[in-house]
Every structure is written in C-alpha cells, then in structure tokens.
Amino acid sequence: MSELLFVAAAGLPMAAGWSLHALRLRRRIETARRDPLTGLFTRDAFAERAMKVLAGGPSAVYVVDLDRFKEINDTYGHAAGDAVIAATGRRLAEWADINAGTVVRLGGDEFAAVARVFSRADLSWTLGELTRAIGQPVTVDGRPLTVGASVGAVAYDPRADDVDLSTLVRLADEQMYAAKNSGADWLTALDLTPQVETFNNRRVGRPGTAGGTEAAA
C-alpha cells in the first residue's frame, strides 16, 4: 500500500504540470480567436457562433460602421481612435449579451453582429438601442468624443429562409451603406435579395473593388 501511495504522490507534480500546460494552451487558443484591441471574436470564431444563433430561431444580422471616425483619428490621434474602437467593442459586446447574440470586428471601424429578434417591431427597438449605445460619448484624456454609427440590418427566420451567413452580412452591409449615404441612423433590408453589384464578393463602392470608393466615415 505504501508503494502505491508513493507512486501516486510522485505522479502528482506531473499531473499538475500537464494541467497547467493544458490551461496555458487553451488560453493561447482563446487569445488567438479574439481581436487584440476590442476583445471581440475573430471572423472564424464569430462565424461558428453566428450560425448557431441563426439556426436557433428568428434573428437578425447587423453591420455597423462608425461615423466621423476618420475625423477623430486625424484631429486627436490614433490613440484616441483606438480608445473609441475599444469602447465601441465593449458596448457591442454588452448589447449582444443582452440580445443573445455575438459580435465581430470586421476591420477598422466596422463591426458585424448576429442577435435574436422576435418581430419587426423588436428589430426596430433593438436597432434603436444599438445606435443609442454607440452614440454615447467616449471620454479620452478627459475629453468627451462623440461618434455615431450607420447600421444596416436584415431579419432572418430559419423556418422560412434559406440564406447563408455571408449573404446576410452582404445584405446588411448594403443597408449600412445606404444609411450612411442618406444620413439615417439605420436601415433594414425589405427582402433577402441583394440589390448591389459585387466584385470579388465585395460590394462595389468598397475599398478594394474595381474603381471603388467608400463614403466618408
């Protein structure tokens, strides 16, 4: 019995070492799946969670692009711009938690989200809450900086619709672009048919498309 106890005791440090190694490995994997500035999930991790939300019932896909962000960067510097992006990421994450959703930073000052909604009225209310949350000033070095957002959204019901996530993001992106051009806080797609030409699967007018120029942020 004493020999068995000795062998078991000798194995404890090895077991503890493997547990610590596994914990560190999980943390590294989790860190790699998150945007370093906002802490939001990267695209692949977002896609996994977004598809689960979409499959779970009526929901909506949103694309969010900040307004006047370039002005903040140019006037107050990139550190202030980073603070605005980080604050926006936190606000979107809080909003997503309340609405059983998930959020990703697509790049720069643009984000996408998927969250549950139960009706058109619920979608309108959710969009209002989203734009109000983002529109709150961000205090940087004691100075309140106000940045709004243009939001596009599209409703989705797995019981009636058969559209993939990339198409839904594209539709929401179209509405975001239309909202930015019209001065509206947000717009929603009336159906699931893309209305804007694409080039290399990107909306014409986006940077990187043939002859594309984006509306001023």
Side-chain angles (χ1 to χ4, degrees):
M1 177 66 72
S2 61
E3 291 179 357
L4 290 175
L5 290 174
F6 175 79
V7 171
L12 286 175
M14 182 177 294
W18 276 110
S19 296
L20 182 60
H21 174 73
L23 178 61
R24 287 174 176 169
L25 182 60
R26 284 197 298 271
R27 286 177 176 172
R28 287 176 183 174
I29 293 173
E30 182 68 11
T31 299
R33 290 162 65 87
R34 291 186 179 272
D35 173 59
L37 181 57
T38 63
L40 298 176
F41 286 114
T42 56
R43 291 181 184 235
D44 288 345
F46 165 77
E48 293 175 12
R49 287 158 177 78
M51 288 187 287
K52 290 179 181 178
V53 176
L54 291 171
S59 50
V61 175
Y62 308 78
V63 169
V64 179
D65 190 84
L66 298 184
D67 298 328
R68 300 181 298 278
F69 179 71
K70 184 177 185 300
E71 178 183 323
I72 287 175
N73 254 348
D74 291 346
T75 303
Y76 302 106
H78 290 286
D82 285 350
V84 168
I85 293 293
T88 300
R90 288 193 299 271
R91 292 169 180 179
L92 285 169
E94 292 170 359
W95 170 88
D97 285 343
I98 293 171
N99 292 282
T102 185
V103 185
V104 64
R105 182 187 179 197
L106 295 176
D109 60 336
E110 189 172 57
F111 303 81
V114 176
R116 295 296 304 276
V117 295
F118 302 100
S119 66
R120 286 283 179 180
D122 185 32
L123 176 56
S124 296
W125 182 87
T126 302
L127 281 161
E129 289 295 298
L130 178 60
T131 54
R132 278 191 289 274
I134 296 174
Q136 296 299 313
V138 178
T139 301
V140 179
D141 295 332
R143 179 190 298 110
L145 303 179
T146 301
V147 57
S150 300
V151 183
V154 56
Y156 174 82
D157 188 340
R159 299 167 298 186
D161 303 321
D162 184 19
V163 181
D164 60 22
L165 176 61
S166 62
T167 299
L168 292 168
V169 171
R170 173 184 165 187
L171 288 163
D173 181 69
E174 289 180 4
Q175 296 303 310
M176 179 279 294
Y177 187 69
K180 187 175 286 289
N181 280 343
S182 68
D185 289 336
W186 51 265
L187 290 173
T188 61
L190 298 178
D191 57 45
L192 299 181
T193 303
Q195 301 297 317
V196 179
E197 182 184 357
T198 60
F199 180 84
N200 289 338
N201 205 33
R202 291 167 62 83
R203 166 174 48 78
V204 170
R206 276 191 165 281
T209 60
T213 57
E214 185 71 306

